[in-house]
Amino acid sequence: MATPIQMPSLSPTMKEGKIVKWLKKVGDKISSGDAIAEVETDKSNLEIEAYDDGVLQQIVVGEGEMATVGAPIAYLGAKGEKVAAPSAAPAPAKPAAPAPVAAAPVSAPAASTEGITVLMPSLSPTMKEGKIVKWLKKVGDKVSSGDALAEVETDKSNLEIEAYDDGTLSRIVVGEGEMAVVGAPIAYLAGKGAPVAASAPKPAAAAPSAAPVQAVAASAPKPVAAPASTGGRVRASPLAKRMAQDRGLDLSRVRGSGPLGRVVKRDIEQALTQGTAQAAAPAAKKPAAQATRAVGARPEPVAMPISTMRKVISQRLGDVKPGVPHFYLTIEVEMDAAAKVREDAKAIDVKVSVNDIIVKAAAIALRRSPKINVSLAGDQILQYGTADVGIAVAIEDGLITPVIRDADLKGLQAISAESRDLAERARKKALKPEEYSGGSLTVSNLGMFGIDQFIAVINPPQSAILAVGAVADKVVVRDGQMVIRKMMTVTLSGDHRVIDGATGAEYLRELKGLLEHPTRLLF
């Protein structure tokens, strides 16, 4: 179903924004983090970014038109999807949500008298409320735009929220461990130059709150050079941070052209074309250099038109089993050789688990079986050029699947270290959205719980998942003799709209061969 893109709150005082320019048009493919529109707020023009992947289905608010914070401005979905909600309903939707909970901690009029309001931001497309895990500033602290203010627990992970303004933290409304709905005030800043700290939140705030706004706006064009030379905290959009990280760029070396010198997507692109990146790249590359993919953009999946036969298969199976029509294939794998690899690694003090070996084998088999490295997107099949494997991690509140990118190109030791790091941060709810989204296939291993065999449900938009059981000694027949071998079951759940049984069987045969002869993982 198409999902709405809502007008975000881009400043603490923003109630509505004007769409200056759409940077994508209806029908365009959008990836999470893409800049989709330029919005005029009450303070400056900023780009808003997509939180999800999909196709821009409908633009509700045109260029030059206003929308209240939280109102749908466009819809995102799979290609060919119908947008259920017509454009007329935007405004009423949002105000209704914050009201019930926000009313208790903060009175509406206080927002204009106490200074600059800090609102609970929306940090994920499904986030309705967030819990303040920890305040990173205390009342009386000076705060600069871009400073991390607090750690917030969302419905997916823990993330830091940043200040949009300079000032002094004058009052904390929502304490640590307390919840606040998206859009509700959680703290107040006394504007720059206002009397310090806790006793300040009085009427005088109304005047100062206007002054800093002007100061910020006036100085916006100049500070471009500042971030490059200070060496302190660098202001950058989430997309710019991610692009810099992916390409090994040192953000402090990039000149920011956004408000207050904020580094935005175009600055990263410019730095790459001008070679600003080269100086910083080698330093960041060295530690992980051995096995990873060469520098540069990760290959985009190839979109292939869906055939008539595949369309009929998709429709008919979807009619039988709503959602994703699964099929299941199970094999037994002899794990003696794989267990030996683990023991050999242990002898030289290298930690490698059976699951690490399975992840590596699953990724290589994925690369060798491109027909299974696909997903369905509307009337197209996306075929991925990378082997990114998700690992199912049980956490207190449920399950999350962080992704090991390019697992086919990494050594077992690197996969082991990355798996442990991702799993540990998943349990602390400290993963970033880009670390648990995407991926070609997931490995779900319940062997450590003594489960011999089970069936896993596919994690959309992926098209397959491996359910791995325990490794156990079993009597099997080899060359007409009964012998004891370490056996393990693997069950593949496949999306029958895009994968057929034979495709899944070929994949499992490749996976079995790699696990039973693990030296093949090296070639």
Side-chain angles (χ1 to χ4, degrees), residues 331-334 337 361 365 368 505-521:
I331 54 166
E332 276 198 319
V333 182
E334 194 174 304
R368 294 177 183 174
E506 283 174 15
Y507 173 80
L508 284 181
R509 183 173 59 185
E510 186 67 37
L511 178 71
K512 180 181 168 77
L514 288 165
L515 289 172
E516 294 188 343
H517 304 280
T519 50
R520 294 183 188 174
L521 296 174

mmCIF file with all atom_site columns, all heavy atoms in Angstrom, residues 331-334 337 361 365 368 505-521:
data_model
loop_
_atom_site.group_PDB
_atom_site.id
_atom_site.type_symbol
_atom_site.label_atom_id
_atom_site.label_alt_id
_atom_site.label_comp_id
_atom_site.label_asym_id
_atom_site.label_entity_id
_atom_site.label_seq_id
_atom_site.pdbx_PDB_ins_code
_atom_site.Cartn_x
_atom_site.Cartn_y
_atom_site.Cartn_z
_atom_site.occupancy
_atom_site.B_iso_or_equiv
_atom_site.pdbx_formal_charge
_atom_site.auth_seq_id
_atom_site.auth_comp_id
_atom_site.auth_asym_id
_atom_site.auth_atom_id
_atom_site.pdbx_PDB_model_num
ATOM 1   N N   . ILE A 1 331 ? 16.981 -29.116 2.778   1.00 0.00 ? 331 ILE A N   1
ATOM 2   C CA  . ILE A 1 331 ? 18.069 -30.051 2.500   1.00 0.00 ? 331 ILE A CA  1
ATOM 3   C C   . ILE A 1 331 ? 18.806 -30.354 3.814   1.00 0.00 ? 331 ILE A C   1
ATOM 4   O O   . ILE A 1 331 ? 18.709 -29.591 4.785   1.00 0.00 ? 331 ILE A O   1
ATOM 5   C CB  . ILE A 1 331 ? 19.102 -29.494 1.499   1.00 0.00 ? 331 ILE A CB  1
ATOM 6   C CG1 . ILE A 1 331 ? 19.626 -28.133 1.976   1.00 0.00 ? 331 ILE A CG1 1
ATOM 7   C CG2 . ILE A 1 331 ? 18.547 -29.423 0.113   1.00 0.00 ? 331 ILE A CG2 1
ATOM 8   C CD1 . ILE A 1 331 ? 20.862 -27.690 1.258   1.00 0.00 ? 331 ILE A CD1 1
ATOM 9   N N   . GLU A 1 332 ? 19.542 -31.468 3.794   1.00 0.00 ? 332 GLU A N   1
ATOM 10  C CA  . GLU A 1 332 ? 20.444 -31.775 4.899   1.00 0.00 ? 332 GLU A CA  1
ATOM 11  C C   . GLU A 1 332 ? 21.876 -31.544 4.426   1.00 0.00 ? 332 GLU A C   1
ATOM 12  O O   . GLU A 1 332 ? 22.217 -31.897 3.295   1.00 0.00 ? 332 GLU A O   1
ATOM 13  C CB  . GLU A 1 332 ? 20.274 -33.227 5.342   1.00 0.00 ? 332 GLU A CB  1
ATOM 14  C CG  . GLU A 1 332 ? 19.128 -33.422 6.326   1.00 0.00 ? 332 GLU A CG  1
ATOM 15  C CD  . GLU A 1 332 ? 19.246 -34.737 7.075   1.00 0.00 ? 332 GLU A CD  1
ATOM 16  O OE1 . GLU A 1 332 ? 19.611 -35.737 6.430   1.00 0.00 ? 332 GLU A OE1 1
ATOM 17  O OE2 . GLU A 1 332 ? 18.979 -34.758 8.289   1.00 0.00 ? 332 GLU A OE2 1
ATOM 18  N N   . VAL A 1 333 ? 22.665 -30.938 5.266   1.00 0.00 ? 333 VAL A N   1
ATOM 19  C CA  . VAL A 1 333 ? 24.036 -30.616 4.898   1.00 0.00 ? 333 VAL A CA  1
ATOM 20  C C   . VAL A 1 333 ? 24.975 -31.295 5.892   1.00 0.00 ? 333 VAL A C   1
ATOM 21  O O   . VAL A 1 333 ? 24.763 -31.216 7.107   1.00 0.00 ? 333 VAL A O   1
ATOM 22  C CB  . VAL A 1 333 ? 24.272 -29.082 4.934   1.00 0.00 ? 333 VAL A CB  1
ATOM 23  C CG1 . VAL A 1 333 ? 25.686 -28.755 4.492   1.00 0.00 ? 333 VAL A CG1 1
ATOM 24  C CG2 . VAL A 1 333 ? 23.249 -28.354 4.072   1.00 0.00 ? 333 VAL A CG2 1
ATOM 25  N N   . GLU A 1 334 ? 26.019 -31.912 5.345   1.00 0.00 ? 334 GLU A N   1
ATOM 26  C CA  . GLU A 1 334 ? 27.030 -32.533 6.213   1.00 0.00 ? 334 GLU A CA  1
ATOM 27  C C   . GLU A 1 334 ? 28.014 -31.451 6.631   1.00 0.00 ? 334 GLU A C   1
ATOM 28  O O   . GLU A 1 334 ? 28.638 -30.802 5.782   1.00 0.00 ? 334 GLU A O   1
ATOM 29  C CB  . GLU A 1 334 ? 27.749 -33.631 5.427   1.00 0.00 ? 334 GLU A CB  1
ATOM 30  C CG  . GLU A 1 334 ? 28.553 -34.560 6.281   1.00 0.00 ? 334 GLU A CG  1
ATOM 31  C CD  . GLU A 1 334 ? 29.129 -35.706 5.445   1.00 0.00 ? 334 GLU A CD  1
ATOM 32  O OE1 . GLU A 1 334 ? 28.344 -36.418 4.785   1.00 0.00 ? 334 GLU A OE1 1
ATOM 33  O OE2 . GLU A 1 334 ? 30.367 -35.851 5.433   1.00 0.00 ? 334 GLU A OE2 1
ATOM 34  N N   . ALA A 1 337 ? 33.238 -30.884 7.716   1.00 0.00 ? 337 ALA A N   1
ATOM 35  C CA  . ALA A 1 337 ? 34.337 -30.065 7.198   1.00 0.00 ? 337 ALA A CA  1
ATOM 36  C C   . ALA A 1 337 ? 34.222 -28.630 7.692   1.00 0.00 ? 337 ALA A C   1
ATOM 37  O O   . ALA A 1 337 ? 35.217 -27.983 8.031   1.00 0.00 ? 337 ALA A O   1
ATOM 38  C CB  . ALA A 1 337 ? 34.340 -30.111 5.673   1.00 0.00 ? 337 ALA A CB  1
ATOM 39  N N   . ALA A 1 361 ? 28.946 -18.616 2.940   1.00 0.00 ? 361 ALA A N   1
ATOM 40  C CA  . ALA A 1 361 ? 28.517 -19.558 1.893   1.00 0.00 ? 361 ALA A CA  1
ATOM 41  C C   . ALA A 1 361 ? 27.222 -19.078 1.236   1.00 0.00 ? 361 ALA A C   1
ATOM 42  O O   . ALA A 1 361 ? 27.068 -19.161 0.012   1.00 0.00 ? 361 ALA A O   1
ATOM 43  C CB  . ALA A 1 361 ? 28.322 -20.943 2.500   1.00 0.00 ? 361 ALA A CB  1
ATOM 44  N N   . ALA A 1 365 ? 26.938 -18.296 -2.720  1.00 0.00 ? 365 ALA A N   1
ATOM 45  C CA  . ALA A 1 365 ? 25.911 -19.000 -3.498  1.00 0.00 ? 365 ALA A CA  1
ATOM 46  C C   . ALA A 1 365 ? 24.950 -18.004 -4.148  1.00 0.00 ? 365 ALA A C   1
ATOM 47  O O   . ALA A 1 365 ? 24.476 -18.215 -5.271  1.00 0.00 ? 365 ALA A O   1
ATOM 48  C CB  . ALA A 1 365 ? 25.150 -19.963 -2.591  1.00 0.00 ? 365 ALA A CB  1
ATOM 49  N N   . ARG A 1 368 ? 26.506 -16.622 -7.177  1.00 0.00 ? 368 ARG A N   1
ATOM 50  C CA  . ARG A 1 368 ? 26.548 -17.599 -8.270  1.00 0.00 ? 368 ARG A CA  1
ATOM 51  C C   . ARG A 1 368 ? 25.147 -17.962 -8.771  1.00 0.00 ? 368 ARG A C   1
ATOM 52  O O   . ARG A 1 368 ? 25.010 -18.689 -9.753  1.00 0.00 ? 368 ARG A O   1
ATOM 53  C CB  . ARG A 1 368 ? 27.269 -18.865 -7.804  1.00 0.00 ? 368 ARG A CB  1
ATOM 54  C CG  . ARG A 1 368 ? 28.739 -18.614 -7.519  1.00 0.00 ? 368 ARG A CG  1
ATOM 55  C CD  . ARG A 1 368 ? 29.421 -19.853 -6.995  1.00 0.00 ? 368 ARG A CD  1
ATOM 56  N NE  . ARG A 1 368 ? 30.816 -19.599 -6.654  1.00 0.00 ? 368 ARG A NE  1
ATOM 57  C CZ  . ARG A 1 368 ? 31.621 -20.484 -6.060  1.00 0.00 ? 368 ARG A CZ  1
ATOM 58  N NH1 . ARG A 1 368 ? 31.157 -21.681 -5.763  1.00 0.00 ? 368 ARG A NH1 1
ATOM 59  N NH2 . ARG A 1 368 ? 32.867 -20.178 -5.774  1.00 0.00 ? 368 ARG A NH2 1
ATOM 60  N N   . ALA A 1 505 ? 16.155 -24.663 -5.719  1.00 0.00 ? 505 ALA A N   1
ATOM 61  C CA  . ALA A 1 505 ? 16.885 -25.922 -5.589  1.00 0.00 ? 505 ALA A CA  1
ATOM 62  C C   . ALA A 1 505 ? 18.332 -25.763 -6.054  1.00 0.00 ? 505 ALA A C   1
ATOM 63  O O   . ALA A 1 505 ? 19.260 -26.290 -5.435  1.00 0.00 ? 505 ALA A O   1
ATOM 64  C CB  . ALA A 1 505 ? 16.179 -27.005 -6.405  1.00 0.00 ? 505 ALA A CB  1
ATOM 65  N N   . GLU A 1 506 ? 18.524 -25.025 -7.146  1.00 0.00 ? 506 GLU A N   1
ATOM 66  C CA  . GLU A 1 506 ? 19.895 -24.793 -7.635  1.00 0.00 ? 506 GLU A CA  1
ATOM 67  C C   . GLU A 1 506 ? 20.696 -24.011 -6.601  1.00 0.00 ? 506 GLU A C   1
ATOM 68  O O   . GLU A 1 506 ? 21.879 -24.288 -6.368  1.00 0.00 ? 506 GLU A O   1
ATOM 69  C CB  . GLU A 1 506 ? 19.847 -24.007 -8.953  1.00 0.00 ? 506 GLU A CB  1
ATOM 70  C CG  . GLU A 1 506 ? 19.469 -24.858 -10.143 1.00 0.00 ? 506 GLU A CG  1
ATOM 71  C CD  . GLU A 1 506 ? 19.290 -24.016 -11.403 1.00 0.00 ? 506 GLU A CD  1
ATOM 72  O OE1 . GLU A 1 506 ? 19.732 -22.843 -11.395 1.00 0.00 ? 506 GLU A OE1 1
ATOM 73  O OE2 . GLU A 1 506 ? 18.711 -24.530 -12.365 1.00 0.00 ? 506 GLU A OE2 1
ATOM 74  N N   . TYR A 1 507 ? 20.039 -23.063 -5.984  1.00 0.00 ? 507 TYR A N   1
ATOM 75  C CA  . TYR A 1 507 ? 20.734 -22.260 -4.971  1.00 0.00 ? 507 TYR A CA  1
ATOM 76  C C   . TYR A 1 507 ? 21.155 -23.145 -3.789  1.00 0.00 ? 507 TYR A C   1
ATOM 77  O O   . TYR A 1 507 ? 22.279 -23.086 -3.311  1.00 0.00 ? 507 TYR A O   1
ATOM 78  C CB  . TYR A 1 507 ? 19.829 -21.116 -4.495  1.00 0.00 ? 507 TYR A CB  1
ATOM 79  C CG  . TYR A 1 507 ? 20.423 -20.350 -3.335  1.00 0.00 ? 507 TYR A CG  1
ATOM 80  C CD1 . TYR A 1 507 ? 21.404 -19.391 -3.551  1.00 0.00 ? 507 TYR A CD1 1
ATOM 81  C CD2 . TYR A 1 507 ? 20.032 -20.612 -2.022  1.00 0.00 ? 507 TYR A CD2 1
ATOM 82  C CE1 . TYR A 1 507 ? 21.988 -18.711 -2.495  1.00 0.00 ? 507 TYR A CE1 1
ATOM 83  C CE2 . TYR A 1 507 ? 20.604 -19.931 -0.958  1.00 0.00 ? 507 TYR A CE2 1
ATOM 84  C CZ  . TYR A 1 507 ? 21.581 -18.982 -1.206  1.00 0.00 ? 507 TYR A CZ  1
ATOM 85  O OH  . TYR A 1 507 ? 22.155 -18.315 -0.157  1.00 0.00 ? 507 TYR A OH  1
ATOM 86  N N   . LEU A 1 508 ? 20.231 -23.971 -3.327  1.00 0.00 ? 508 LEU A N   1
ATOM 87  C CA  . LEU A 1 508 ? 20.542 -24.836 -2.186  1.00 0.00 ? 508 LEU A CA  1
ATOM 88  C C   . LEU A 1 508 ? 21.636 -25.840 -2.528  1.00 0.00 ? 508 LEU A C   1
ATOM 89  O O   . LEU A 1 508 ? 22.469 -26.182 -1.689  1.00 0.00 ? 508 LEU A O   1
ATOM 90  C CB  . LEU A 1 508 ? 19.274 -25.562 -1.721  1.00 0.00 ? 508 LEU A CB  1
ATOM 91  C CG  . LEU A 1 508 ? 18.286 -24.710 -0.914  1.00 0.00 ? 508 LEU A CG  1
ATOM 92  C CD1 . LEU A 1 508 ? 17.095 -25.558 -0.486  1.00 0.00 ? 508 LEU A CD1 1
ATOM 93  C CD2 . LEU A 1 508 ? 18.931 -24.083 0.309   1.00 0.00 ? 508 LEU A CD2 1
ATOM 94  N N   . ARG A 1 509 ? 21.643 -26.309 -3.755  1.00 0.00 ? 509 ARG A N   1
ATOM 95  C CA  . ARG A 1 509 ? 22.694 -27.258 -4.164  1.00 0.00 ? 509 ARG A CA  1
ATOM 96  C C   . ARG A 1 509 ? 24.063 -26.564 -4.097  1.00 0.00 ? 509 ARG A C   1
ATOM 97  O O   . ARG A 1 509 ? 25.040 -27.140 -3.625  1.00 0.00 ? 509 ARG A O   1
ATOM 98  C CB  . ARG A 1 509 ? 22.420 -27.748 -5.587  1.00 0.00 ? 509 ARG A CB  1
ATOM 99  C CG  . ARG A 1 509 ? 23.415 -28.795 -6.062  1.00 0.00 ? 509 ARG A CG  1
ATOM 100 C CD  . ARG A 1 509 ? 23.019 -29.385 -7.388  1.00 0.00 ? 509 ARG A CD  1
ATOM 101 N NE  . ARG A 1 509 ? 22.926 -28.345 -8.429  1.00 0.00 ? 509 ARG A NE  1
ATOM 102 C CZ  . ARG A 1 509 ? 22.510 -28.585 -9.663  1.00 0.00 ? 509 ARG A CZ  1
ATOM 103 N NH1 . ARG A 1 509 ? 22.129 -29.800 -10.006 1.00 0.00 ? 509 ARG A NH1 1
ATOM 104 N NH2 . ARG A 1 509 ? 22.464 -27.611 -10.556 1.00 0.00 ? 509 ARG A NH2 1
ATOM 105 N N   . GLU A 1 510 ? 24.102 -25.320 -4.562  1.00 0.00 ? 510 GLU A N   1
ATOM 106 C CA  . GLU A 1 510 ? 25.354 -24.558 -4.495  1.00 0.00 ? 510 GLU A CA  1
ATOM 107 C C   . GLU A 1 510 ? 25.766 -24.327 -3.051  1.00 0.00 ? 510 GLU A C   1
ATOM 108 O O   . GLU A 1 510 ? 26.940 -24.482 -2.676  1.00 0.00 ? 510 GLU A O   1
ATOM 109 C CB  . GLU A 1 510 ? 25.159 -23.200 -5.214  1.00 0.00 ? 510 GLU A CB  1
ATOM 110 C CG  . GLU A 1 510 ? 26.420 -22.372 -5.342  1.00 0.00 ? 510 GLU A CG  1
ATOM 111 C CD  . GLU A 1 510 ? 27.454 -23.012 -6.268  1.00 0.00 ? 510 GLU A CD  1
ATOM 112 O OE1 . GLU A 1 510 ? 27.049 -23.603 -7.277  1.00 0.00 ? 510 GLU A OE1 1
ATOM 113 O OE2 . GLU A 1 510 ? 28.658 -22.928 -5.946  1.00 0.00 ? 510 GLU A OE2 1
ATOM 114 N N   . LEU A 1 511 ? 24.779 -23.953 -2.215  1.00 0.00 ? 511 LEU A N   1
ATOM 115 C CA  . LEU A 1 511 ? 25.065 -23.697 -0.793  1.00 0.00 ? 511 LEU A CA  1
ATOM 116 C C   . LEU A 1 511 ? 25.583 -24.959 -0.107  1.00 0.00 ? 511 LEU A C   1
ATOM 117 O O   . LEU A 1 511 ? 26.570 -24.933 0.642   1.00 0.00 ? 511 LEU A O   1
ATOM 118 C CB  . LEU A 1 511 ? 23.784 -23.208 -0.099  1.00 0.00 ? 511 LEU A CB  1
ATOM 119 C CG  . LEU A 1 511 ? 23.902 -22.953 1.402   1.00 0.00 ? 511 LEU A CG  1
ATOM 120 C CD1 . LEU A 1 511 ? 24.746 -21.721 1.670   1.00 0.00 ? 511 LEU A CD1 1
ATOM 121 C CD2 . LEU A 1 511 ? 22.510 -22.774 2.029   1.00 0.00 ? 511 LEU A CD2 1
ATOM 122 N N   . LYS A 1 512 ? 24.941 -26.075 -0.374  1.00 0.00 ? 512 LYS A N   1
ATOM 123 C CA  . LYS A 1 512 ? 25.349 -27.364 0.225   1.00 0.00 ? 512 LYS A CA  1
ATOM 124 C C   . LYS A 1 512 ? 26.786 -27.712 -0.174  1.00 0.00 ? 512 LYS A C   1
ATOM 125 O O   . LYS A 1 512 ? 27.601 -28.108 0.657   1.00 0.00 ? 512 LYS A O   1
ATOM 126 C CB  . LYS A 1 512 ? 24.373 -28.458 -0.241  1.00 0.00 ? 512 LYS A CB  1
ATOM 127 C CG  . LYS A 1 512 ? 24.655 -29.855 0.279   1.00 0.00 ? 512 LYS A CG  1
ATOM 128 C CD  . LYS A 1 512 ? 23.609 -30.806 -0.292  1.00 0.00 ? 512 LYS A CD  1
ATOM 129 C CE  . LYS A 1 512 ? 23.959 -32.262 -0.073  1.00 0.00 ? 512 LYS A CE  1
ATOM 130 N NZ  . LYS A 1 512 ? 23.702 -32.712 1.280   1.00 0.00 ? 512 LYS A NZ  1
ATOM 131 N N   . GLY A 1 513 ? 27.101 -27.525 -1.468  1.00 0.00 ? 513 GLY A N   1
ATOM 132 C CA  . GLY A 1 513 ? 28.453 -27.824 -1.936  1.00 0.00 ? 513 GLY A CA  1
ATOM 133 C C   . GLY A 1 513 ? 29.500 -26.974 -1.228  1.00 0.00 ? 513 GLY A C   1
ATOM 134 O O   . GLY A 1 513 ? 30.569 -27.463 -0.855  1.00 0.00 ? 513 GLY A O   1
ATOM 135 N N   . LEU A 1 514 ? 29.194 -25.703 -1.037  1.00 0.00 ? 514 LEU A N   1
ATOM 136 C CA  . LEU A 1 514 ? 30.148 -24.801 -0.375  1.00 0.00 ? 514 LEU A CA  1
ATOM 137 C C   . LEU A 1 514 ? 30.347 -25.183 1.089   1.00 0.00 ? 514 LEU A C   1
ATOM 138 O O   . LEU A 1 514 ? 31.457 -25.144 1.608   1.00 0.00 ? 514 LEU A O   1
ATOM 139 C CB  . LEU A 1 514 ? 29.642 -23.354 -0.472  1.00 0.00 ? 514 LEU A CB  1
ATOM 140 C CG  . LEU A 1 514 ? 29.723 -22.716 -1.869  1.00 0.00 ? 514 LEU A CG  1
ATOM 141 C CD1 . LEU A 1 514 ? 28.865 -21.455 -1.929  1.00 0.00 ? 514 LEU A CD1 1
ATOM 142 C CD2 . LEU A 1 514 ? 31.170 -22.397 -2.230  1.00 0.00 ? 514 LEU A CD2 1
ATOM 143 N N   . LEU A 1 515 ? 29.252 -25.552 1.767   1.00 0.00 ? 515 LEU A N   1
ATOM 144 C CA  . LEU A 1 515 ? 29.365 -25.878 3.190   1.00 0.00 ? 515 LEU A CA  1
ATOM 145 C C   . LEU A 1 515 ? 30.047 -27.228 3.406   1.00 0.00 ? 515 LEU A C   1
ATOM 146 O O   . LEU A 1 515 ? 30.767 -27.423 4.377   1.00 0.00 ? 515 LEU A O   1
ATOM 147 C CB  . LEU A 1 515 ? 27.971 -25.873 3.837   1.00 0.00 ? 515 LEU A CB  1
ATOM 148 C CG  . LEU A 1 515 ? 27.321 -24.484 3.995   1.00 0.00 ? 515 LEU A CG  1
ATOM 149 C CD1 . LEU A 1 515 ? 25.883 -24.616 4.468   1.00 0.00 ? 515 LEU A CD1 1
ATOM 150 C CD2 . LEU A 1 515 ? 28.112 -23.624 4.980   1.00 0.00 ? 515 LEU A CD2 1
ATOM 151 N N   . GLU A 1 516 ? 29.806 -28.163 2.494   1.00 0.00 ? 516 GLU A N   1
ATOM 152 C CA  . GLU A 1 516 ? 30.419 -29.481 2.657   1.00 0.00 ? 516 GLU A CA  1
ATOM 153 C C   . GLU A 1 516 ? 31.867 -29.497 2.187   1.00 0.00 ? 516 GLU A C   1
ATOM 154 O O   . GLU A 1 516 ? 32.640 -30.377 2.566   1.00 0.00 ? 516 GLU A O   1
ATOM 155 C CB  . GLU A 1 516 ? 29.588 -30.529 1.905   1.00 0.00 ? 516 GLU A CB  1
ATOM 156 C CG  . GLU A 1 516 ? 28.207 -30.696 2.543   1.00 0.00 ? 516 GLU A CG  1
ATOM 157 C CD  . GLU A 1 516 ? 27.403 -31.849 1.965   1.00 0.00 ? 516 GLU A CD  1
ATOM 158 O OE1 . GLU A 1 516 ? 27.767 -32.325 0.869   1.00 0.00 ? 516 GLU A OE1 1
ATOM 159 O OE2 . GLU A 1 516 ? 26.415 -32.256 2.614   1.00 0.00 ? 516 GLU A OE2 1
ATOM 160 N N   . HIS A 1 517 ? 32.240 -28.515 1.384   1.00 0.00 ? 517 HIS A N   1
ATOM 161 C CA  . HIS A 1 517 ? 33.639 -28.386 0.929   1.00 0.00 ? 517 HIS A CA  1
ATOM 162 C C   . HIS A 1 517 ? 34.050 -26.930 1.145   1.00 0.00 ? 517 HIS A C   1
ATOM 163 O O   . HIS A 1 517 ? 34.194 -26.166 0.185   1.00 0.00 ? 517 HIS A O   1
ATOM 164 C CB  . HIS A 1 517 ? 33.748 -28.768 -0.555  1.00 0.00 ? 517 HIS A CB  1
ATOM 165 C CG  . HIS A 1 517 ? 33.230 -30.144 -0.844  1.00 0.00 ? 517 HIS A CG  1
ATOM 166 N ND1 . HIS A 1 517 ? 33.969 -31.289 -0.606  1.00 0.00 ? 517 HIS A ND1 1
ATOM 167 C CD2 . HIS A 1 517 ? 32.018 -30.563 -1.291  1.00 0.00 ? 517 HIS A CD2 1
ATOM 168 C CE1 . HIS A 1 517 ? 33.251 -32.351 -0.922  1.00 0.00 ? 517 HIS A CE1 1
ATOM 169 N NE2 . HIS A 1 517 ? 32.055 -31.946 -1.346  1.00 0.00 ? 517 HIS A NE2 1
ATOM 170 N N   . PRO A 1 518 ? 34.242 -26.526 2.391   1.00 0.00 ? 518 PRO A N   1
ATOM 171 C CA  . PRO A 1 518 ? 34.424 -25.098 2.694   1.00 0.00 ? 518 PRO A CA  1
ATOM 172 C C   . PRO A 1 518 ? 35.679 -24.467 2.100   1.00 0.00 ? 518 PRO A C   1
ATOM 173 O O   . PRO A 1 518 ? 35.779 -23.238 2.082   1.00 0.00 ? 518 PRO A O   1
ATOM 174 C CB  . PRO A 1 518 ? 34.470 -25.072 4.232   1.00 0.00 ? 518 PRO A CB  1
ATOM 175 C CG  . PRO A 1 518 ? 34.719 -26.465 4.662   1.00 0.00 ? 518 PRO A CG  1
ATOM 176 C CD  . PRO A 1 518 ? 34.197 -27.346 3.596   1.00 0.00 ? 518 PRO A CD  1
ATOM 177 N N   . THR A 1 519 ? 36.622 -25.285 1.607   1.00 0.00 ? 519 THR A N   1
ATOM 178 C CA  . THR A 1 519 ? 37.770 -24.648 0.946   1.00 0.00 ? 519 THR A CA  1
ATOM 179 C C   . THR A 1 519 ? 37.306 -23.877 -0.297  1.00 0.00 ? 519 THR A C   1
ATOM 180 O O   . THR A 1 519 ? 37.978 -22.951 -0.737  1.00 0.00 ? 519 THR A O   1
ATOM 181 C CB  . THR A 1 519 ? 38.813 -25.703 0.519   1.00 0.00 ? 519 THR A CB  1
ATOM 182 O OG1 . THR A 1 519 ? 38.136 -26.742 -0.192  1.00 0.00 ? 519 THR A OG1 1
ATOM 183 C CG2 . THR A 1 519 ? 39.521 -26.284 1.726   1.00 0.00 ? 519 THR A CG2 1
ATOM 184 N N   . ARG A 1 520 ? 36.128 -24.239 -0.836  1.00 0.00 ? 520 ARG A N   1
ATOM 185 C CA  . ARG A 1 520 ? 35.595 -23.517 -2.000  1.00 0.00 ? 520 ARG A CA  1
ATOM 186 C C   . ARG A 1 520 ? 35.213 -22.081 -1.647  1.00 0.00 ? 520 ARG A C   1
ATOM 187 O O   . ARG A 1 520 ? 35.030 -21.241 -2.529  1.00 0.00 ? 520 ARG A O   1
ATOM 188 C CB  . ARG A 1 520 ? 34.363 -24.225 -2.556  1.00 0.00 ? 520 ARG A CB  1
ATOM 189 C CG  . ARG A 1 520 ? 34.659 -25.591 -3.147  1.00 0.00 ? 520 ARG A CG  1
ATOM 190 C CD  . ARG A 1 520 ? 33.393 -26.192 -3.732  1.00 0.00 ? 520 ARG A CD  1
ATOM 191 N NE  . ARG A 1 520 ? 33.602 -27.570 -4.147  1.00 0.00 ? 520 ARG A NE  1
ATOM 192 C CZ  . ARG A 1 520 ? 32.630 -28.371 -4.578  1.00 0.00 ? 520 ARG A CZ  1
ATOM 193 N NH1 . ARG A 1 520 ? 31.390 -27.904 -4.644  1.00 0.00 ? 520 ARG A NH1 1
ATOM 194 N NH2 . ARG A 1 520 ? 32.885 -29.590 -4.933  1.00 0.00 ? 520 ARG A NH2 1
ATOM 195 N N   . LEU A 1 521 ? 35.069 -21.825 -0.353  1.00 0.00 ? 521 LEU A N   1
ATOM 196 C CA  . LEU A 1 521 ? 34.747 -20.456 0.055   1.00 0.00 ? 521 LEU A CA  1
ATOM 197 C C   . LEU A 1 521 ? 35.907 -19.518 -0.252  1.00 0.00 ? 521 LEU A C   1
ATOM 198 O O   . LEU A 1 521 ? 35.748 -18.299 -0.260  1.00 0.00 ? 521 LEU A O   1
ATOM 199 C CB  . LEU A 1 521 ? 34.444 -20.401 1.561   1.00 0.00 ? 521 LEU A CB  1
ATOM 200 C CG  . LEU A 1 521 ? 33.221 -21.182 2.036   1.00 0.00 ? 521 LEU A CG  1
ATOM 201 C CD1 . LEU A 1 521 ? 33.140 -21.162 3.546   1.00 0.00 ? 521 LEU A CD1 1
ATOM 202 C CD2 . LEU A 1 521 ? 31.948 -20.604 1.433   1.00 0.00 ? 521 LEU A CD2 1
#
